[in-house]
Amino acid sequence: MRFMLLFSRQGKLRLQKWYTATAERDKKKMVRELMQVVLARKPKMCSFLEWRDLKIVYKRYASLYFCCAVEEQDNELITLEVIHRFVELLDKYFGSVCELDIIFNFEKAYFILDEFLMGGEIQDTSKKGVLKAIEQADLLQEEDESPRSVLEEMGLA
Amino acid sequence: CPENEMIRVIRSARTQGEERGVIQRECAAIRAQFRQADSGGRSHNLAKLLYVHMLGYPAHFGQMECVRMIASPRYSEKRIGYLGAMMLLDEKQDASLLITNSIKNDLSHSSQYIQSLALCTLACMGSAEMCRDLAPEIERLLKASNSYIKKKAALCAVHIVRKIPELGELFTPSAHSLLSDKNHGVLHGAVVLITELCERNPGNLDEFRKAVPELVQIMKGLVTSGYSPEHNVAGISDPFLQVRVLRLLRILGRNNDEASDAMNDLLAQVATNTDSSKTAGSAVLYETVLTIMDIKSESGLRVLAVNILGRFLLNNDRNIRYISMTSLQKIVQTDHTAVQRHRGTIVDCLKDQDASVKRRALELSLALVSAANIRSMMKELLRFLSTCPPELRSHATSGIFNAAERYAPSQRWHIDTILHVLITAGGDVRDETVPNLIQLISVASELHCYTVHKLYRALISDISQQSLVQVACWCIGEYGDLLLKGDCDEIEPMQVTEDDVLDVLETILQSHMSSPTSRGFALTAIMKLSTRITNNIDRIRSVVSIYGSCIDVELQQRAVEYNALFKKYDHMRYLIIFDEDSDIHQSGICSLARTESTHAQEHTTFLRFKNTS
């Protein structure tokens, strides 16, 4: 996978993850172009299209488009399943996830994505496994942020 | 949460200008906070900046803050710091080098979640230098006892191999041993790593072919295992892992009989037993088909694979139909007969609503045309042409012409096909095909009368389709006498006078719809008619002289030379041969011939004698 984009019907970018080194300027250009192409598609059309030298796999969930660019050798059908898995993870985490959750908790969405995919490849094929790891990481973060006692601050407890 | 407040404020901005104002204020505040270096709220501050960055505003002033945060002992700060690094830093920036040390330290941190952050970041934006530096550490982690870390180290190794293929040597030994792990995440990572190692360095293939039996076992385990809640997707046990294993098998089995043999039974089993009612199963089947077709499989297995693709063509899910046709396109040359069996279904897909599916169906249909099916296929293709989406039309017309030329069962059929396309889709016929079409028409001598009549009739109702106009003008110029004679075997008789013909040619000359090339064709046709008609020479002469001062330089040049023909060389007008190879090239009239040849669109030809003297 080269990159994944999440954007709304109004063309607002909600998440972008790039798995290859790309200049900022080029990223902006590609995002703009691709959003235009995908947003012009009609509802009943195929989830796959060819764009530049890449294969694009996209799916719309409510108000958000999930759009991945994959290489020639990648399996488009399994990419649809990858997208779906990501949506399921978000849904389990936020509880009936909607676009607003992604907007106001974008770092969390990234954390979940980064626990699920690395370098564009799946890290853990078990939904439970990914969610458990996120839960543990969140706990660690909470402990970290909770107020420390004076003794703790002094390193004495 | 402070960043939520900021997000709310930004979203409530009613104009782009207002938003920019809010962003400017917020960024100023963020910058001030960065400078303060107080520990409370640093994560929230950076998070705010990352949101601003996502909206498209510059955020480079946050790069150093990311570096600082990553070095913090607190998990919450590291977490957002690393995220910031992945969003704001890329390997081209100097700041990215500064985090190498932090990453190195965090890779051996006692908390696996911190190790995870470092691994993820390295895999996301690690430069070649960083990769070289940290590769030994990653190799060590590949052998770590913790599967949570192992699976991440494997994918990090994939990134390193992509950046510096030679470092693959470092990971080769461990990669193989990872295949005996029971954890699916580790297995998946191992398979991806081995795939990358083989693709980057074909020298590794021999070594990893030894793993084929293990891979086959893994697949067998997945396919025959009972329901496993943890990995089940729509009745398929870990389709993600299955797809990757199948892909690796493809690479290992390619061009190698032994490896291909070893996986033959497994592939047959997967192909037969996988339930394709949902996408997950279809994804596995699809990968299986790709593998079967790419390795040295038995012919029975190949037929099985093509039949799966044929079944996919009938699937209700458009995505699956599309995938099927993409695959069929890849094998239509090598497995032509097998694909021919599904021709009917493929042709049906020409009627699909989706333009991508239509495009695929068109490609495949054209590839499947043969001498045996040309008549029925052409019927379908012409039907398709009438409802074809605009972006496919010129490709369709070219494909149809090619097919017609290769397999035309008779000259009459061929001419009819050409005429049909010109008349119904002449506006989409590519300019380059016009000379060829003219050539084909000119050799079908018994059909000249028929052809010129049909084209004339099409022309009088529509002069907007340029290719039609050009071919029709050429024919009228050449065979105008046949048109004027009035009778033709296969066509209802129609009285055509010299004035009628000159009318339509002049209309084309004057129309703003006509391209310069078309106008050139029309003018030449008028000129050629001067040798075939008797009553309107003066009319022709005046048209030609008018265009002698035409703004269009090409047309003007043409007209001037034709004018010369009338004035100085009238007695030779009948004998002029518009042929770039003729002797006339050498004489004073050669400029005319040159004009003909520079008009690349126009196919040069003889002016036939009207009478010999």
Side-chain angles (χ1 to χ4, degrees):
Chain A
M1 195 185 294
R2 291 268 190 100
F3 59 81
M4 183 192 287
L5 304 175
L6 266 61
F7 53 87
S8 69
R9 266 219 68 78
Q10 286 72 46
K12 288 268 200 263
L13 195 59
R14 298 303 179 200
L15 185 150
Q16 55 174 331
K17 188 78 189 183
W18 295 78
Y19 293 111
T20 48
T22 315
E24 191 71 35
R25 189 184 45 237
D26 294 332
K27 281 184 196 173
K28 286 210 163 113
K29 187 156 182 252
M30 287 164 88
V31 169
R32 207 173 31 237
E33 246 183 69
L34 190 52
M35 283 207 291
Q36 247 182 349
V37 171
V38 173
L39 288 172
R41 306 271 292 181
K42 302 199 193 62
K44 287 273 165 73
M45 289 174 101
C46 200
S47 294
F48 312 133
L49 59 101
E50 277 137 27
W51 178 76
R52 299 195 179 195
D53 62 330
L54 296 168
K55 301 200 282 194
I56 304 296
V57 179
Y58 75 94
K59 190 147 183 210
R60 184 175 167 187
Y61 288 86
S63 60
L64 221 52
Y65 282 87
F66 286 68
C67 184
C68 298
V70 298
E71 319 253 3
E72 176 59 36
Q73 330 85 288
D74 289 323
N75 182 322
E76 295 97 316
L77 291 172
I78 207 74
T79 308
L80 271 178
E81 286 297 313
V82 170
I83 290 175
H84 192 71
R85 175 58 64 89
F86 182 40
V87 172
E88 285 179 320
L89 290 167
L90 291 169
D91 191 69
K92 240 333 194 301
Y93 184 84
F94 288 111
S96 301
V97 67
C98 66
E99 193 186 343
L100 232 46
D101 294 314
I102 312 289
I103 295 169
F104 282 97
N105 299 283
F106 69 96
E107 351 66 278
K108 297 269 166 58
Y110 273 102
F111 294 151
I112 294 170
L113 182 60
D114 286 342
E115 192 61 46
F116 175 47
L117 300 178
M118 190 191 284
E121 308 283 354
I122 295 185
Q123 297 176 46
D124 191 344
T125 56
S126 147
K127 208 187 325 186
K128 216 170 61 182
V130 177
L131 289 167
K132 185 137 172 262
I134 294 284
E135 205 185 291
Q136 295 289 82
D138 279 351
L139 267 170
L140 197 56
Q141 176 156 342
E142 264 177 51
E143 277 169 27
D144 206 56
E145 286 173 336
S146 58
R148 301 160 102 188
S149 70
V150 172
L151 286 175
E152 278 181 294
E153 287 279 349
M154 289 167 63
L156 295 175
Chain B
C1 206
E3 61 262 36
N4 279 5
E5 189 46 45
M6 181 197 77
I7 294 173
R8 247 185 288 272
V9 173
I10 293 174
R11 280 164 63 81
S12 60
R14 276 158 305 171
T15 65
Q16 188 69 40
E18 216 181 299
E19 184 183 279
R20 259 197 300 272
V22 173
I23 301 282
Q24 258 176 332
R25 276 197 308 278
E26 291 289 342
C27 283
I30 292 168
R31 256 197 177 98
Q33 291 275 47
F34 283 167
R35 281 194 289 267
Q36 277 189 313
D38 98 332
S39 41
R42 278 170 74 189
S43 330
H44 296 293
N45 217 26
L46 185 54
K48 280 187 194 176
L49 183 61
L50 296 181
Y51 183 79
V52 164
H53 171 78
M54 196 157 58
L55 289 178
Y57 295 93
H60 43 268
F61 61 88
Q63 287 173 3
M64 283 315 293
E65 183 68 7
C66 294
V67 175
R68 273 193 290 272
M69 299 278 269
I70 285 172
S72 159
R74 301 173 76 166
Y75 179 71
S76 55
E77 294 186 348
K78 272 195 203 289
R79 209 183 190 192
I80 196 83
Y82 273 118
L83 179 62
M86 287 190 276
M87 285 172 78
L88 302 181
L89 295 175
D90 61 46
E91 56 182 50
K92 300 195 178 74
Q93 266 127 29
D94 297 328
S96 68
L97 284 174
L98 298 173
I99 63 174
T100 310
N101 217 46
S102 293
I103 293 181
K104 194 184 213 139
N105 291 337
D106 286 340
L107 283 174
S108 6
H109 203 281
S110 52
S111 162
Q112 65 180 18
Y113 298 105
I114 291 182
Q115 284 179 296
S116 168
L117 292 175
L119 284 164
C120 185
T121 306
L122 181 59
C124 178
M125 41 82 64
S127 64
E129 276 166 70
M130 289 162 77
C131 286
R132 209 180 283 279
D133 209 346
L134 300 168
E137 192 55 30
I138 303 303
E139 209 275 326
R140 195 183 61 81
L141 290 173
L142 269 183
K143 304 200 275 253
S145 57
N146 179 334
S147 44
Y148 181 74
I149 291 302
K150 254 191 219 177
K151 67 180 200 256
K152 290 173 190 270
L155 292 180
C156 200
V158 172
H159 174 81
I160 293 175
V161 173
R162 283 178 185 158
K163 272 277 181 270
I164 309 177
E166 305 87 72
L167 286 177
E169 263 176 33
L170 194 59
F171 303 116
T172 311
S174 325
H176 194 143
S177 51
L178 286 174
L179 286 179
S180 24
D181 203 300
K182 292 294 161 222
N183 180 293
H184 282 221
V186 175
L187 276 176
H188 188 273
V191 172
V192 175
L193 178 56
I194 295 172
T195 304
E196 194 68 35
L197 290 169
C198 290
E199 282 178 336
R200 295 285 159 172
N201 181 3
N204 284 325
L205 284 169
D206 281 330
E207 176 59 38
F208 286 113
R209 278 194 187 113
K210 296 184 198 145
V212 169
E214 261 176 284
L215 292 166
V216 167
Q217 272 309 108
I218 291 171
M219 276 302 291
K220 277 211 168 93
L222 292 170
V223 171
T224 59
S225 73
Y227 177 81
S228 153
E230 197 174 347
H231 296 112
N232 182 278
V233 180
I236 309 290
S237 185
D238 206 340
F240 304 107
L241 181 57
Q242 288 198 34
V243 165
R244 290 314 300 238
V245 173
L246 286 164
R247 182 163 147 184
L248 177 55
L249 286 173
R250 177 155 80 248
I251 292 168
L252 298 173
R254 201 179 274 151
N255 294 324
N256 187 292
D257 287 317
E258 202 186 319
S260 298
D261 276 339
M263 55 181 84
N264 200 78
D265 285 346
L266 168 75
L267 293 172
Q269 192 181 6
V270 178
T272 327
N273 293 337
T274 305
D275 171 16
S276 58
S277 50
K278 294 277 163 65
T279 309
S282 300
V284 171
L285 268 183
Y286 173 45
E287 198 74 34
T288 310
V289 166
L290 290 177
T291 300
I292 291 172
M293 298 315 288
D294 210 6
I295 65 170
K296 304 242 183 194
S297 21
E298 296 172 0
S299 62
L301 196 55
R302 284 182 90 86
V303 171
L304 181 58
V306 179
N307 287 346
I308 290 175
L309 292 179
R311 251 189 13 242
F312 275 179
L313 278 178
L314 300 166
N315 196 301
N316 283 328
D317 186 337
R318 180 171 281 125
N319 291 331
I320 293 180
R321 294 204 297 278
Y322 178 88
I323 289 296
S324 163
M325 286 196 282
T326 314
S327 313
L328 287 168
Q329 187 72 45
K330 292 196 185 119
I331 61 173
V332 72
Q333 303 303 338
T334 53
D335 296 78
H336 195 89
T337 327
V339 180
Q340 278 285 7
R341 281 192 209 113
H342 304 279
R343 193 177 74 244
T345 327
I346 291 167
V347 164
D348 279 340
C349 289
L350 284 170
K351 304 185 192 110
D352 198 295
Q353 297 295 336
D354 184 326
S356 322
V357 172
K358 272 205 200 345
R359 170 181 282 124
R360 289 264 168 270
L362 174 62
E363 286 300 333
L364 263 178
S365 300
L366 290 172
L368 290 175
V369 175
S370 70
N373 60 37
I374 180 69
R375 283 185 194 269
S376 57
M377 280 301 274
M378 191 52 80
K379 275 207 191 77
E380 296 292 345
L381 288 168
L382 292 177
R383 193 179 309 164
F384 169 69
L385 194 58
S386 52
T387 58
C388 179
E391 65 273 15
L392 289 180
R393 299 193 85 187
S394 68
H395 186 68
T397 59
S398 296
I400 286 171
F401 284 144
N402 286 337
E405 199 166 331
R406 278 183 81 181
Y407 302 111
S410 74
Q411 220 170 36
R412 169 62 187 274
W413 179 97
H414 194 177
I415 296 294
D416 273 335
T417 305
I418 290 174
L419 292 177
H420 184 120
V421 175
L422 280 175
I423 292 168
T424 56
D428 296 295
V429 170
R430 293 192 181 121
D431 288 348
E432 310 88 77
T433 54
V434 167
N436 195 41
L437 295 173
I438 288 176
Q439 162 80 338
L440 290 167
I441 288 172
S442 68
V443 300
S445 26
E446 296 94 69
L447 294 164
H448 287 168
C449 185
Y450 172 74
T451 307
V452 72
H453 273 272
K454 284 208 93 160
L455 285 171
Y456 174 77
R457 262 160 239 234
L459 206 58
I460 54 178
S461 54
D462 177 12
I463 60 163
S464 67
Q465 306 189 90
Q466 299 311 298
S467 295
L468 171 63
V469 166
Q470 288 165 27
V471 176
C473 284
W474 184 89
C475 284
I476 291 170
E478 282 298 297
Y479 316 125
D481 47 334
L482 300 174
L483 181 64
L484 293 166
K485 244 188 281 200
D487 52 346
C488 177
D489 285 337
E490 335 241 353
I491 298 194
E492 235 179 73
M494 181 180 170
Q495 257 304 46
V496 182
T497 66
E498 292 179 5
D499 275 312
D500 291 333
V501 176
L502 290 173
D503 279 345
V504 76
L505 291 174
E506 271 193 74
T507 310
I508 290 166
L509 259 179
Q510 290 155 17
S511 168
H512 63 276
M513 287 191 288
S514 302
S515 71
T517 311
S518 303
R519 294 166 84 200
F521 268 90
L523 188 59
T524 303
I526 289 175
M527 189 59 195
K528 289 182 189 172
L529 282 176
S530 73
T531 64
R532 308 199 197 294
I533 64 176
T534 45
N535 303 329
N536 278 283
I537 300 285
D538 284 336
R539 180 175 174 182
I540 292 180
R541 213 191 290 244
S542 80
V543 168
V544 169
S545 78
I546 285 170
Y547 279 88
S549 44
C550 171
I551 279 179
D552 181 322
V553 169
E554 297 237 322
L555 219 48
Q556 186 192 114
Q557 179 175 16
R558 210 182 267 249
V560 162
E561 287 166 359
Y562 291 166
N563 232 357
L565 264 186
F566 271 117
K567 296 202 163 94
K568 286 167 73 176
Y569 303 102
D570 201 43
H571 59 287
M572 285 182 72
R573 200 164 21 92
Y574 288 95
L575 301 176
I576 298 297
I577 296 172
F578 286 69
D579 185 335
E580 56 206 292
D581 294 331
S582 85
D583 293 339
I584 303 295
H585 236 293
Q586 269 52 266
S587 85
I589 320 281
C590 69
S591 61
L592 231 154
R594 245 187 288 122
T595 312
E596 291 297 300
S597 65
T598 58
H599 295 285
Q601 303 301 310
E602 191 163 346
H603 185 82
T604 56
T605 185
F606 288 79
L607 238 193
R608 281 175 297 141
F609 300 155
K610 189 132 186 237
N611 42 47
T612 48
S613 47

